Amino acid sequence: MNAAAQNPLNAPVFEFPNPPDKFGQDGGKFYHCYDTLAQEIDDDLAGGLKEQLDGMLIFAGLFAGVNTAFLALTIPLLSADPAEDTNALLTRNNAILMQLVMGRNDTVPADSPLPSTAFSPAHDIFIINALFALSLAFAIISSFLAVLGRQWLVYYRKRGGGGPDRQRWEQLKRFLGAERWRLEAILDDVLPSLLQIGLVIFCISLILYLRHLSPTISLIVGIPLFVGLAFFIGSALCAVWDRFCPFQSPLSHLLVKAFHSLYWAQPVMKPVISVWVFFRSGVSFRDWDWDDAWDYASDDARTDFIHATLDRLKRKEENVESLEAIALQRAIRISDDPATLIHATANILSIRSPDAMTKLWDDDAFQERFLQLVENPSNGALQLRGYNGDPKDLAESSRRLYYTAAAHIALSLGPDWMVTCRVTPSSITIGYKALFSLLRPASNSNLTKILIPSPLLQDSSSNLIRGNLGLCILWCSVRFRDSRAPEKDIDSVHMRNHLITCSEALASCSDLQFLSLFAWIVPRFPGRMVLEVSDVLEQIRKPYLGNTVDAIEPIREAFVNLLSSVSAGSWDSPACDTVLTNMLRCVERIVADEQGNSDVSTDHKFKLLEICEAVLRNPRLPEAAGQVGRKLRVKIAQVWSREYMKITHKNWNAPIDHLFGPLKSYMANLINVDRSEFGYHENIAVVQVFGPMLRQILSSFIPAPRHRAELEAICEMFNPFVSDVHKASRQFQNNSRRVRDPDGRGCHWQEEPLSIKPFETEFDASGGREIRLLLL
C-alpha cells in the first residue's frame, strides 16, 4: 500500500451512501469496494500457495536425487554378489591346477554349491531398502501433487468471458468451491506433510544403514538428526501453546485440532468434570448422585469445562491495549512521515491504562524519538503536504498536541515511573531527567500558546481537553510558584475563562475521567495548585486516571465548593452556576450510559445520585442545575429498572446483588437527606420516581424467592421515607399562610396535603407472603 493511500490528509472525500432501491444500483460503489477486496483475497490465497508449491518442487527434486543415490548403494545388497561366485569358481580351478602340478590324486568336489545359491539378504538390509524406497515414493507423490496444485491455481485465477457481473459471480463461485473442497488445506497442509513424512523416513533409514555399516558412525550422525526432529516437534508444540507463533507446520495444525477436540481425554477428565458440575449445580452433597454425574453434565457443560481448561493451558494473548501501545511505538520510532507522527501522537492521548502507557514508554528508542519531537514539535508539521489552512495554525496545533501528549504520558505514568523503586540515586536522577525533558518545552511557553482556543474547544475530543488540562496544571505548578510574576493575574484570568469554556465541552460528553480531573481542579484553582511538580503528579494522578472509585470524592468536593458562599476566591456566582450546571449535565450523561461506558457500575451511579441529592437540596442551586439533577434521578431509576428486567427475563433466579445493593444503600441514605421545607419537594420527587418503579417490578411478575427478600427489605426502607414525606406535607400545610387569589375573590391554602396509597402484592396462594409498598 503506497504512502498516499495511508495518508488520511490525502484521502478522497467520502460521501455517505444513500441506500439504493435495488441491490448494487448505487453507482457501482459497493461493487468497486467488493472487487478490490475480492482481488486482495484471491491474490493472497493464490500467491501464498504458489510460493509454497514452488519451494516444494525444488526441495522434492533435490530430495529425490539424494534418496536415489542411497538406493543405488543399498539395492544391490538385496541380491547375491556375482563376484563371489566368480571367486568361488576361480578358487576351485586353482585347486585342480595345483593338484596337477603337484602330481597329487586328491579328489576335488565338483558339485560344491556356489555362494549365490545359499545367499539370503540380511533382515535390516530389507528394512533399509523398504524405507528408502518409501521415502522416495513420498517425494515423487508430493512433487506430482505440487505440479497438479499449480494447475489448480491456474484454473482458480482464470477469468472467463462476459461482462464484469458474470466474472464477479463466477469468481465468487470458484472461491466457494475452493472453500467447499478444502483447496487451501490440501495444498497448505497435506502436500507439505507428505514431503516431511518422507524426510523423516529417509532419516530413519539413513541411521539404520549407517548402523549396518558402523554403529559408531550411526551414533554420530543420529544425534544431530534426532535433535532436529525434536526441534521440529517442539516448534509444533509451541504453535499449539501460542496461536500466533510463527512456527506453523502441518504437524502443528494437526496438534491444534486434536488439542481442541480432546475427545480422547473425556474418560480421563470424567471425574474432574463431574466435580466441576457438582459445584455449579447447587445440589447438596448428600443428595448428589455421583454415578449419574457425567450424564447430568450437559454437552454444553462439558464443552465449557474443556474450553476453560484449554484457555488456561494456552499462552495468554496480548490484549488490545498492549497492541495499541506497541503500534504507537513502531509508528513513532520508525516513521519519518509527519502525518503518521501527528496521528500517532494524537492517539497517545487515547491510552488510559497505566499498564499500557508503561509498556509504551518502556522503550529507550521510543523515549529518545518522542523527546526529539517534543523539543521540535513544529518542524515536521511545516513539511506536511496537503494542508489547506494557515501553516502557523498548523504549527501551533502541532506544538500544542505534542506538549499535551507529553503531559499525558507524565500524568499516566505517575511518580512510580519517575522514581524507579526509590532505591538508588541514579534511578531518581534518570526519572526526573526524563520528566523535565518532557515538560521543559511546555513550561517555557506562554499559557495562551498551550491552551486550546475557545473556537476549537467544542470540536475537540474529551481526551485532548483532559490532557490539555493536565498540561495546564503542570504549567501552573511551575509558573505560579513565583508570586511576583507580573503576568500571574493575567494568566489566572485566562485559566479561569478556559475552565468555564471547558465546562461547556464537559456538558456534552460522558467521560468520567474528564469529569474527575475537572472536579479536582475546581476547588484548588488557583491558590492550591502552587506545588512542586512531583507533588502535583502524586496528587493529580488518581483524578486524572479517573478510576470510578477515586472519582467520587473529587466530584463531591467540587459540588460543595461551587455551592459554598465563598468559592475559593476565584469563581463569581454566574461562573459557579455555569460550571455546576455543566458538571451535572456530564453526570447525567454518564448515568444514562449514552456511550456504553461499562466502567461505571450501578453502585457508582447511585453514589453519584447520592451526591446529587445533597446538591438538589441546597438553597444556592440554580434552577437550570436543579432540572438537570432531577432528570438524572429519573434516568438512574430507568437504568436500574431496565437492567433488572433484562436480567430476570433471561434467568428468573439469577443473582443480582449488584443491583439490589446500590438501591438499598441509596434508600438508607434517604434517611439522612435534608427534611427542611426547601428539600421537601425533592423528597416528593424521589417518591414519585422510585415508587412507581418498585410498583411496576412488584406487579409485572412474581419475583424469584431470592429476590423477594431483597425487594421486601427495600420496601421496608422506602416506606418510612414515604411516611416522613407525608407527615412533612401535613406539617407544611398546617403552617402555610393563606394567600389571596389573583382575582381577589377569596383565600385558599397554599398547597394541599398529600395522601398515602398503600400497594400490597401477595405472592403465595395461601396469602401468607406479601410485600407492602407505600405510594403518594
Side-chain angles (χ1 to χ4, degrees):
M1 190 176 293
N2 56 25
Q6 295 180 359
N7 191 349
L9 298 177
N10 299 328
V13 178
F14 175 76
E15 296 181 0
F16 198 82
N18 185 26
D21 296 330
K22 190 176 180 181
F23 181 83
Q25 294 183 353
D26 57 352
K29 295 179 181 179
F30 167 73
Y31 283 145
H32 174 73
C33 297
Y34 172 79
D35 291 341
T36 303
L37 177 63
Q39 184 70 24
E40 291 179 359
I41 295 175
D42 290 345
D43 290 344
D44 181 66
L45 175 65
L49 292 177
K50 181 178 179 297
E51 290 181 2
Q52 179 165 291
L53 293 176
D54 291 342
M56 283 182 56
L57 285 171
I58 296 174
F59 180 78
L62 296 175
F63 177 52
V66 174
N67 204 334
T68 303
F70 277 94
L71 275 174
L73 295 176
T74 58
I75 285 180
L77 298 179
L78 292 174
S79 58
D81 190 357
E84 293 183 358
D85 289 347
T86 303
N87 292 335
L89 292 175
L90 290 175
T91 301
R92 187 185 302 175
N93 291 336
N94 290 335
I96 294 174
L97 291 175
M98 287 298 295
Q99 288 181 0
L100 294 175
V101 171
M102 299 295 295
R104 297 170 56 184
N105 258 344
D106 297 338
T107 60
V108 178
D111 57 348
S112 59
L114 294 176
S116 60
T117 60
F119 175 79
S120 177
H123 180 67
D124 56 348
I125 290 297
F126 177 80
I127 295 176
I128 290 170
N129 279 275
L131 292 177
F132 273 132
L134 183 62
S135 174
L136 180 61
F138 273 105
I140 295 174
I141 292 173
S142 60
S143 300
F144 170 73
L145 293 179
V147 174
L148 193 61
R150 290 290 304 272
Q151 295 176 350
W152 294 342
L153 293 178
V154 170
Y155 168 75
Y156 178 79
R157 297 304 306 272
K158 187 177 180 179
R159 294 291 185 267
D165 289 341
R166 181 178 176 181
Q167 293 184 9
R168 181 183 303 113
W169 302 133
E170 182 179 350
Q171 186 60 23
L172 180 58
K173 292 177 182 178
R174 291 180 181 178
F175 175 77
L176 295 176
E179 279 192 336
R180 185 165 53 250
W181 291 98
R182 305 291 191 272
L183 174 65
E184 187 174 7
I186 292 174
L187 298 182
D188 196 27
D189 289 339
V190 176
L191 264 66
S193 64
L194 292 177
L195 198 57
Q196 292 172 3
I197 291 173
L199 182 61
V200 172
I201 294 175
F202 173 80
C203 292
I204 295 174
S205 57
L206 176 62
I207 293 174
L208 293 177
Y209 177 61
L210 294 177
R211 187 170 179 268
H212 175 76
L213 299 178
S214 173
T216 304
I217 297 177
S218 172
L219 181 62
I220 294 174
V221 176
I223 290 176
L225 290 179
F226 280 116
V227 170
L229 181 62
F231 178 81
F232 172 65
I233 297 175
S235 64
L237 293 176
C238 291
V240 175
W241 178 66
D242 185 358
R243 188 162 65 98
F244 295 97
C245 177
F247 309 144
Q248 300 292 330
S249 64
L251 178 61
S252 67
H253 299 165
L254 179 63
L255 291 177
V256 168
K257 294 179 180 178
F259 188 68
H260 281 284
S261 61
L262 275 183
Y263 291 116
W264 53 270
Q266 285 196 5
V268 179
M269 302 176 71
K270 180 176 179 178
V272 181
I273 295 180
S274 300
V275 174
W276 182 70
V277 172
F278 162 71
F279 284 108
R280 292 192 60 184
S281 63
V283 181
S284 64
F285 183 83
R286 182 175 299 176
D287 298 333
W288 182 255
D289 188 358
W290 292 99
D291 295 333
D292 297 335
W294 178 257
D295 297 331
Y296 180 85
S298 62
D299 294 337
D300 292 338
R302 300 171 191 171
T303 304
D304 292 344
F305 177 80
I306 292 175
H307 286 175
T309 304
L310 295 180
D311 291 340
R312 293 187 182 95
L313 294 176
K314 294 172 63 177
R315 175 187 174 272
K316 186 178 180 181
E317 298 178 2
E318 295 84 357
N319 54 22
V320 178
E321 293 178 345
S322 298
L323 295 176
E324 292 171 350
I326 295 173
L328 290 175
Q329 268 186 0
R330 297 178 66 189
I332 292 180
R333 187 179 56 194
I334 299 174
S335 178
D336 290 327
D337 180 32
T340 302
L341 294 173
I342 289 176
H343 287 291
T345 305
N347 279 274
I348 290 178
L349 295 169
S350 64
I351 297 182
R352 300 194 173 194
S353 170
D355 295 335
M357 186 61 71
T358 302
K359 189 174 187 64
L360 172 66
W361 188 252
D362 193 17
D363 184 88
D364 295 338
F366 173 82
Q367 290 185 22
E368 182 179 357
R369 182 65 188 283
F370 187 75
L371 290 175
Q372 291 175 359
L373 295 174
V374 173
E375 290 285 349
N376 303 290
S378 58
N379 290 347
L382 296 177
Q383 302 172 4
L384 191 64
R385 297 180 180 180
Y387 182 74
N388 299 325
D390 189 353
K392 293 183 178 179
D393 294 340
L394 180 60
E396 291 294 333
S397 299
S398 176
R399 181 185 298 109
R400 188 165 50 247
L401 177 63
Y402 281 110
Y403 290 170
T404 302
H408 176 68
I409 292 175
L411 291 171
S412 299
L413 294 173
D416 294 336
W417 156 77
M418 194 173 52
V419 183
T420 308
C421 301
R422 302 182 181 271
V423 176
T424 61
S426 60
S427 63
I428 298 176
T429 304
I430 294 173
Y432 275 97
K433 181 179 179 181
L435 170 68
F436 287 108
S437 297
L438 275 174
L439 303 179
R440 183 178 62 251
S443 62
N444 294 332
S445 301
N446 295 326
L447 181 62
T448 54
K449 295 292 185 180
I450 64 175
L451 291 177
I452 301 176
S454 299
L456 302 178
L457 204 57
Q458 290 297 329
D459 296 331
S460 300
S461 67
S462 61
N463 288 329
L464 178 60
I465 300 174
R466 182 175 66 98
N468 189 256
L469 283 178
L471 173 64
C472 293
I473 294 172
L474 296 176
W475 186 92
C476 292
S477 66
V478 175
R479 300 294 291 268
F480 282 6
R481 281 202 305 255
D482 186 6
S483 59
R484 295 170 297 178
E487 66 276 6
K488 178 179 178 180
D489 295 336
I490 300 176
D491 290 337
S492 298
V493 173
H494 285 313
M495 188 66 183
R496 185 182 70 89
N497 295 333
H498 182 70
L499 289 175
I500 296 174
T501 309
C502 286
S503 71
E504 297 175 358
L506 178 68
S508 60
C509 72
S510 59
D511 191 341
L512 182 63
Q513 293 181 336
F514 184 12
L515 176 62
S516 174
L517 176 65
F518 190 87
W520 184 88
I521 296 174
V522 166
R524 290 168 176 80
F525 176 77
R528 295 169 61 186
M529 295 174 62
V530 183
L531 298 170
E532 294 290 337
V533 176
S534 58
D535 296 334
V536 171
L537 281 174
E538 194 164 351
Q539 291 186 21
I540 199 179
R541 186 168 186 258
K542 286 185 177 181
Y544 186 82
L545 297 178
N547 183 280
T548 50
V549 177
D550 300 327
I552 300 297
E553 190 56 36
I555 296 173
R556 186 195 308 274
E557 186 179 357
F559 283 155
V560 171
N561 181 270
L562 291 172
L563 291 171
S564 61
S565 58
V566 180
S567 182
S570 179
W571 304 93
D572 53 19
S573 181
C576 286
D577 294 346
T578 301
V579 172
L580 178 61
T581 304
N582 291 331
M583 289 182 65
L584 283 173
R585 286 174 179 160
C586 181
V587 174
E588 179 194 358
R589 287 178 171 270
I590 293 173
V591 167
D593 201 14
E594 295 179 357
Q595 295 183 357
N597 193 354
S598 58
D599 293 337
V600 183
S601 63
T602 306
D603 183 29
H604 295 109
K605 290 178 181 179
F606 273 94
K607 293 292 185 185
L608 292 173
L609 179 58
E610 292 177 10
I611 297 174
C612 293
E613 290 292 354
V615 172
L616 288 170
R617 289 162 175 79
N618 193 292
R620 288 198 65 254
L621 184 70
E623 181 58 29
Q627 293 177 0
V628 175
R630 296 180 192 102
K631 289 182 182 179
L632 185 150
R633 183 192 293 133
V634 174
K635 288 189 176 181
I636 284 188
Q638 293 174 350
V639 169
W640 191 95
S641 179
R642 184 168 57 248
E643 188 69 18
Y644 176 84
M645 294 295 184
K646 178 181 176 181
I647 295 177
T648 53
H649 284 172
K650 184 180 296 184
N651 186 354
W652 181 64
N653 197 31
I656 49 177
D657 296 336
H658 67 286
L659 293 180
F660 285 130
L663 183 58
K664 289 165 65 177
S665 175
Y666 172 72
M667 293 297 176
N669 184 68
L670 290 177
I671 302 174
N672 302 322
V673 298
D674 182 16
R675 302 299 179 89
S676 64
E677 186 171 359
F678 185 82
Y680 163 68
H681 294 285
E682 298 301 330
N683 296 337
I684 295 177
V686 171
V687 177
Q688 291 175 344
V689 168
F690 287 96
M693 181 196 77
L694 294 174
R695 178 176 180 175
Q696 180 186 5
I697 292 174
L698 294 175
S699 60
S700 58
F701 59 90
I702 299 176
R706 65 161 61 182
H707 301 164
R708 295 178 193 173
E710 297 288 349
L711 288 172
E712 186 176 6
I714 291 173
C715 290
E716 289 178 354
M717 301 171 67
F718 184 69
N719 290 339
F721 178 75
V722 177
S723 299
D724 291 345
V725 173
H726 178 257
K727 293 178 182 178
S729 171
R730 288 189 172 277
Q731 180 181 355
F732 295 147
Q733 191 270 345
N734 293 331
N735 296 335
S736 61
R737 59 184 177 85
R738 296 173 64 87
V739 295
R740 182 171 299 276
D741 283 341
D743 55 5
R745 291 179 296 180
C747 297
H748 65 282
W749 291 110
Q750 189 173 2
E751 58 183 12
E752 295 295 331
L754 300 173
S755 60
I756 292 180
K757 300 177 183 179
F759 173 77
E760 297 181 357
T761 302
E762 185 176 305
F763 295 120
D764 295 343
S766 60
R769 181 77 171 178
E770 64 180 19
I771 294 180
R772 189 168 184 266
L773 175 66
L774 298 181
L775 301 173
L776 292 178

